[in-house]
């Protein structure tokens, strides 16, 4: 294999990593917003599944990918609204409510998604690109949207007034409240936004990056997103980089099946390929370990009020 | 809000007392409400009549009154069930399903009591099944005495679960790493691990993607093996696993409510700071509880594999999550868990043959949600009060 071929292969693998990392990017940044406002949402996996299922179903009947993405986004947001009501208004344990959202989303998507298992899938609209060859235009567009979204999110969080309000609500809600910021409204807004991003992420999976619906489509990606938030230190740009890295890990077992690869190809060793499916999950645990070390050193910058409900007039943060 | 001409306002205030009835009532209300909500989902998924579907589920899961009557009279006269069918068939299958549910539930209960969210009972169960298989098929000779073999499998399964629970336990105790994420990730690692061994790996026989049928000593004896003495038992699959679960439940209840360790666990769960001031070691208890929790889930894996009699790529996922819900519904009470596990075993058996598939998992999700929600609602009083003057600043924290 010539150097030129290797280069082209590397470009293909990298593009694949961007594609498979982009849903993760949306989910992770959505969760960053929610947590920056002080609400932990462990329901990402459930919202992604509901988004993926409903998005696929809508596409199935309307043939419109955009409409599917929109519906996935809305339903993800609705599930998040439920989580917001239970944790912000009723001040329930955010962990338990988040788990319930995930289980509910898993069950709902499983039962309502039955007719769509193994159905026809959105056909990619192929375009010829330099270096990459024939690729799906939807995937290419999605990657571009992700690449624009992450810096915008970073700018919003760190450089704008609403972003500042959001951070203050997550750091010290009582102080924000005394300045006339509506803590409850802001928390509701960003929890719903985070859910909508998760639903969108799920829909992009079933419609664009990995078209089709099967039960448990997201296979734990929502939980990986929760872990990535910590590793990204609640920063959207870092969230983007780690999402792409995990996209690469998810793609790797597929890429390594390519018999053209020298030395590391798993084409003749399917057992190894099976074991490599574990990579993203083991890597998640590893980055949590690394992140925890760092947190001891620098405290990483977790929002101070993360996980605690705000009650006006009560002592606390 | 306008009512009878006067202005009323909904006021939500927290209850200062926590009466005992809240738990039971919110569980019951939760299940009823979940069935109600689930009815709409069933309707949306294409069921003609949700109530009829529920009735069917109950019949499939627990049997009909007539079958029970016939069964009991046949049992009394020591004859076989009339009409050539299984009088206690549904109940028997339900007991089989209930035993792994009960064990994973207990695994969740002990961890949740300490507010340690072990969502990884599924993975621990997989690893338990894997280890038990290793002992049964690849380590001990096929002619080993049955009870010795089963004991060895139970030990192996439990130990594997202990090991698999200890990983997140250690990470939580030492590095304060969120156990929800680690246990969940380890679920997927365990699925892939078992898949690796039986689908493409060293344990698969030819192209069957399976270890093949276990030798007889490595399987639970079923009731049907005693059909010669007791004709009523013919065809029944019930095995002693349910007693294993019940024994574990009683032991766990004793640990939680009668032992010093259980007291420590409950103190940590209620108030970790108070526990720390009282000199209770958090790290040590986190590790120990995760080991016990993982061990119980591992035992569930051994129990299930000894009932299924072969390990293949279709080893059932999801018992760990059912355990989470059953644990919550039974108010983290091991004895109550026995009853709720039976109900959920019936739910699983009853929904197996019924369309649309997936009713069980949907209902489980709805149930957990509704129970969490109703319990919280009961912790508040809802008062409608007259608004006398225009209040400029809202006092209550309701947006």
């Amino acid at each position: 294999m010539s150097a030129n071929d290797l280069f082209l292969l590397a470009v293909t693998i990298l593009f694949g990593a961007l594609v498979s990392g982009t849903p993760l990017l949306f989910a992770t940044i959505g969760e960053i917003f929610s947590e920056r406002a002080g609400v932990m949402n462990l329901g990402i996996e459930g919202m992604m599944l509901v988004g993926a299922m409903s998005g696929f179903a809508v596409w199935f009947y309307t043939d419109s990918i955009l409409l599917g993405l929109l519906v996935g986004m809305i339903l993800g947001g609705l599930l998040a609204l439920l989580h917001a009501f239970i944790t912000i208004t009723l001040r329930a344990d955010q962990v338990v409510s988040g788990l319930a959202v995930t289980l509910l989303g898993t069950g709902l998507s499983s039962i309502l998604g039955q007719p769509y298992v193994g159905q026809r899938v959105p056909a990619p609209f192929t375009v010829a690109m330099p270096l990459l060859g024939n690729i799906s235009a939807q995937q290419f567009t999605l990657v571009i949207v992700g690449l624009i979204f992450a810096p915008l999110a970073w700018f919003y969080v760190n450089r704008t007034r609403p972003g500042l309000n959001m951070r203050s609500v997550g750091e010290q809600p009582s102080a924000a409240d005394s300045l006339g910021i509506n803590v409850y409204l802001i928390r509701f807004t960003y929890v719903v936004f985070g859910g909508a991003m998760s639903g969108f992420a799920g829909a992009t999976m079933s419609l664009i990056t990995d078209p089709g619906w099967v039960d448990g489509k997201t296979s734990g990606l929502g939980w990986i997103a929760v872990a990535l938030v910590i590793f990204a230190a609640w920063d959207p740009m870092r969230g983007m980089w780690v999402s792409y890295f995990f996209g690469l890990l998810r793609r790797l077992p597929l890429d390594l099946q390519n018999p053209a690869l020298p030395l590391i190809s798993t084409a003749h060793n399917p057992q190894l390929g099976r074991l490599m499916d574990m990579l993203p999950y083991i890597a998640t645990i590893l980055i949590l370990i690394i992140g925890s070390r760092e947190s001891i050193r620098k405290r990483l910058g977790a929002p101070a009020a993360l996980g605690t409900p705000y009650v006006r007039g009560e002592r606390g943060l | 809000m306008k009512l009878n001409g006067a202005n009323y306002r909904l006021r939500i205030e927290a209850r200062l007392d926590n009466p005992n009835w809240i738990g039971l009532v919110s569980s019951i209300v939760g299940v009823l409400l979940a069935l109600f909500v689930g009815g709409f989902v069933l309707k949306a998924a294409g069921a003609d009549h949700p109530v009829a579907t529920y009735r069917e589920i109950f019949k499939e899961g627990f049997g009909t009154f007539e079958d029970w009557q016939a069964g009991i009279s046949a049992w009394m006269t020591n004859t076989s069930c009339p009409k050539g069918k299984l009088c206690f068939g549904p109940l028997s299958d339900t007991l089989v399903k209930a035993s792994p549910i009960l064990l994973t539930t207990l695994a969740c209960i002990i961890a949740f009591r300490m507010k340690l969210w072990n969502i990884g009972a599924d993975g621990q169960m997989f690893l338990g099944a894997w280890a038990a298989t290793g002992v049964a098929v690849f380590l001990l000779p096929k002619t080993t005495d049955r009870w010795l073999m089963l004991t060895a499998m139970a030990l192996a399964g439990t130990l594997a679960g202990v090991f698999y629970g200890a990983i997140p336990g250690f990470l939580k105790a030492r590095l304060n790493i969120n156990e929800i994420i680690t246990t969940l990730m380890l679920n997927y690692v365990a699925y892939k691990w078992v898949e690796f061994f039986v689908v493409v790996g060293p344990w698969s026989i030819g192209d069957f993607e399976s270890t093949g049928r276990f030798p007889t000593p490595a399987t639970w004896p079923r009731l049907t093996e005693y059909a010669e003495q007791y004709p009523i038992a013919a065809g029944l699959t019930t095995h002693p696993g349910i007693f294993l679960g019940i024994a574990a439940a009683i032991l766990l209840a004793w640990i939680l409510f009668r032992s010093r360790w259980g007291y420590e666990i409950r103190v940590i769960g209620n108030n970790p700071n108070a526990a720390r001031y009282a000199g209770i070691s958090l790290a040590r208890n986190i590790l120990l509880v995760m080991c016990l929790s993982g061990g119980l889930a591992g035992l569930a894996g051994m129990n299930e594999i000894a009932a299924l009699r072969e390990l293949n790529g279709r080893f059932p996922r999801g018992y760990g999550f059912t355990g989470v819900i059953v644990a919550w519904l039974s108010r983290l009470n091991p004895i109550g868990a026995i009853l709720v596990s039976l109900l959920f075993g019936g739910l699983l058996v009853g929904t197996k043959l019924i369309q649309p598939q997936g009713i069980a998992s949907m209902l489980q999700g709805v149930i957990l949600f509704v129970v969490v929600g109703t319990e919280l609602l009961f912790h508040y009083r809802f008062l409608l009060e007259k608004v006398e003057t225009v209040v400029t600043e809202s006092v209550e924290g309701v947006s």
Side-chain angles (χ1 to χ4, degrees):
Chain A
M1 188 180 240
S2 73
N4 192 35
D5 287 345
L6 265 184
F7 173 71
L8 288 179
L9 191 63
V11 171
T12 312
I13 290 178
L14 279 182
F15 179 70
L18 294 189
V19 170
S20 86
T22 302
L24 201 50
L25 178 152
F26 287 114
T28 305
I29 293 183
E31 177 73 3
I32 287 177
F33 273 72
S34 173
E35 293 199 6
R36 270 293 174 99
V39 181
M40 185 164 49
N41 185 353
L42 296 182
I44 304 279
E45 175 85 356
M47 295 165 194
M48 282 179 80
L49 280 169
V50 166
M53 195 284 292
S54 57
F56 187 83
V58 165
W59 168 84
F60 191 77
Y61 292 117
T62 63
D63 271 313
S64 163
I65 289 185
L66 278 181
L67 206 59
L69 294 176
L70 186 72
V71 169
M73 198 189 273
I74 290 172
L75 287 186
L78 277 179
L79 259 188
L81 189 65
L82 199 61
H83 178 67
F85 174 73
I86 289 202
T87 57
I88 301 170
T89 309
L90 298 181
R91 297 164 208 150
D93 191 314
Q94 295 178 1
V95 170
V96 180
S97 170
L99 276 177
V101 171
T102 290
L103 288 171
L104 179 71
T106 312
L108 273 180
S109 65
S110 161
I111 186 170
L112 294 178
Q114 294 240 326
Y116 310 109
V117 177
Q119 292 287 359
R120 69 195 171 95
V121 298
F125 179 73
T126 44
V127 285
M129 296 291 283
L131 292 179
L132 293 166
N134 284 329
I135 56 163
S136 147
Q138 288 103 311
Q139 292 188 352
F140 186 76
T141 318
L142 183 70
V143 167
I144 300 294
V145 172
L147 278 169
I148 297 171
F149 176 68
L152 278 182
W154 180 89
F155 186 81
Y156 183 85
V157 171
N158 292 307
R159 294 284 184 274
T160 67
R161 169 63 62 176
L164 181 67
N165 288 350
M166 170 179 84
R167 284 184 289 141
S168 67
V169 163
E171 295 290 344
Q172 203 165 23
S174 54
D177 198 5
S178 67
L179 289 173
I181 297 170
N182 188 338
V183 174
Y184 299 106
L185 181 68
I186 287 197
R187 287 196 166 174
F188 260 89
T189 308
Y190 290 109
V191 171
V192 171
F193 175 76
M197 281 298 108
S198 303
F200 178 74
T204 60
M205 284 184 77
S206 65
L207 292 173
I208 298 175
T209 65
D210 183 14
W213 166 255
V214 288
D215 225 6
K217 173 89 186 168
T218 53
S219 59
L221 218 60
W223 292 102
I224 292 182
V226 175
L228 290 191
V229 169
I230 303 170
F231 191 60
W234 293 268
D235 176 291
M237 281 310 280
R238 275 183 75 170
M240 181 181 86
W241 296 122
V242 289
S243 296
Y244 288 148
F245 175 67
F246 268 75
L248 182 68
L249 284 186
R250 256 164 51 82
R251 284 273 319 195
L252 219 50
L254 269 178
D255 290 324
L256 291 187
Q257 278 173 10
N258 187 343
L261 272 176
L263 296 174
I264 47 172
S265 170
T266 57
H268 308 293
N269 195 352
Q271 298 190 5
L272 193 66
R274 283 276 167 173
L275 280 182
M276 286 194 59
D277 285 346
M278 295 180 187
L279 265 182
Y281 308 110
I282 293 177
T284 305
I285 297 174
L286 287 181
I287 64 155
L288 281 175
I289 295 173
I290 298 168
S292 78
R293 302 243 150 186
E294 214 171 326
S295 77
I296 293 163
R297 277 195 292 122
K298 288 196 299 184
R299 305 219 124 256
L300 268 178
L306 182 60
T308 48
Y310 175 61
V311 189
R312 185 181 266 183
E314 261 183 24
R315 273 188 68 194
L317 284 159
Chain B
M1 194 186 328
K2 284 268 185 188
L3 209 70
N4 294 340
N7 261 323
Y8 280 89
R9 192 163 66 100
L10 183 65
R11 209 165 92 94
I12 304 176
E13 66 178 25
R15 277 178 202 280
L16 295 176
D17 55 334
N18 262 344
N20 281 327
W21 55 262
I22 285 184
L24 190 64
V25 170
S26 63
S27 278
I28 293 170
V29 171
V31 171
L32 292 180
L33 212 58
L35 290 177
F36 182 72
V37 175
F40 287 100
V41 182
L42 282 180
K43 197 88 187 165
D48 292 331
H49 203 296
V51 178
T53 310
Y54 287 142
R55 203 177 291 139
E56 189 74 2
I57 293 174
F58 189 82
K59 208 179 87 191
E60 294 283 330
F62 297 98
T64 59
F65 184 67
E66 289 76 32
D67 285 349
W68 275 69
Q69 255 182 336
I72 288 170
S73 63
W75 189 8
M76 289 303 160
T77 54
N78 205 19
T79 51
S80 62
C81 191
K83 290 178 282 177
K85 60 176 186 173
L86 305 175
C87 292
F88 294 120
L91 180 72
S92 164
D93 290 347
T94 294
L95 285 172
V96 169
K97 284 276 179 207
S99 48
I101 295 180
L102 179 52
L103 284 165
T104 50
T105 300
L106 297 175
C108 293
I109 285 180
I110 183 75
F112 291 3
R113 275 276 174 179
M114 230 179 91
K115 295 232 163 67
L116 212 55
W117 306 109
N118 177 15
I119 316 301
D122 229 28
Q124 291 142 16
M125 184 175 163
F126 261 68
L127 215 69
W130 171 81
T133 305
V135 167
V137 184
F138 301 99
L139 207 64
L140 292 178
K142 282 186 187 346
T143 50
T144 315
D145 175 71
R146 191 172 212 173
W147 293 107
L148 186 71
M149 177 77 107
L150 286 170
T151 311
M153 286 167 71
L155 268 178
T158 308
L159 280 179
V162 165
F163 162 76
Y164 217 51
I167 299 172
F170 175 81
L171 292 177
K172 171 81 177 177
R174 268 302 177 82
L175 302 170
N176 197 22
I177 291 174
N178 187 329
E179 74 283 6
I180 300 176
I181 301 171
T182 46
T183 50
L184 232 130
M185 291 296 115
L186 288 174
N187 277 347
Y188 289 98
V189 174
Y191 301 153
K192 304 283 175 197
W193 179 255
V194 170
E195 251 172 49
F196 164 72
F197 270 86
V198 298
V199 178
V200 288
W203 286 9
S204 64
I205 296 179
D207 291 334
F208 286 109
E209 305 196 345
S210 161
T211 56
R213 189 50 63 93
F214 284 6
T216 315
T219 59
W220 279 128
R222 293 172 174 165
L223 269 184
T224 182
E225 292 175 28
Y226 302 95
E228 295 216 339
Q229 289 149 282
Y230 308 100
I232 189 73
L236 298 185
T237 53
T238 307
H239 60 72
I242 189 72
F243 296 114
L244 200 64
I246 292 174
I250 293 170
L251 184 69
L252 202 65
W254 184 85
I255 290 178
L256 270 177
F257 302 118
R258 289 284 177 274
S259 79
R260 185 196 154 92
W261 185 36
Y263 178 72
E264 288 189 3
I265 291 171
R266 286 183 292 137
V267 170
I268 296 174
N270 288 333
N271 191 339
N273 285 326
R276 203 179 292 123
Y277 292 134
I280 300 173
S281 165
L282 284 186
R284 183 173 146 270
N285 277 307
I286 288 173
L287 189 58
L288 282 178
V289 164
M290 277 307 294
C291 285
L292 179 56
S293 178
L296 284 165
L299 189 60
M302 170 271 166
N303 176 67
E304 185 67 2
I305 204 68
L308 292 175
R309 308 180 159 202
E310 73 179 288
L311 183 62
N312 54 32
R314 291 184 307 280
F315 189 75
R317 296 183 185 185
Y319 276 118
F321 298 101
T322 305
V324 172
I325 294 153
V326 177
W328 207 259
L329 261 185
S330 50
R331 329 300 321 160
L332 305 186
N333 183 326
I335 304 299
I338 301 175
L339 187 74
V340 187
S341 297
L342 276 176
L343 284 177
F344 269 65
L347 180 69
L348 286 191
V349 172
T351 50
K352 208 160 68 179
L353 296 173
I354 284 177
Q355 291 299 330
Q357 283 182 347
I359 297 180
S361 60
M362 182 273 299
L363 278 181
Q364 288 178 13
V366 178
I367 286 174
L368 183 64
F369 221 105
V370 177
V371 170
V372 171
T374 43
E375 187 181 353
L376 285 158
L377 287 177
F378 280 124
H379 280 294
Y380 294 91
R381 286 176 211 280
F382 293 86
L383 307 165
L384 271 184
E385 58 181 27
K386 223 177 210 170
V387 181
E388 300 294 346
T389 51
V390 180
V391 186
T392 44
E393 49 173 25
S394 87
V395 184
E396 294 304 314
V398 186
S399 62

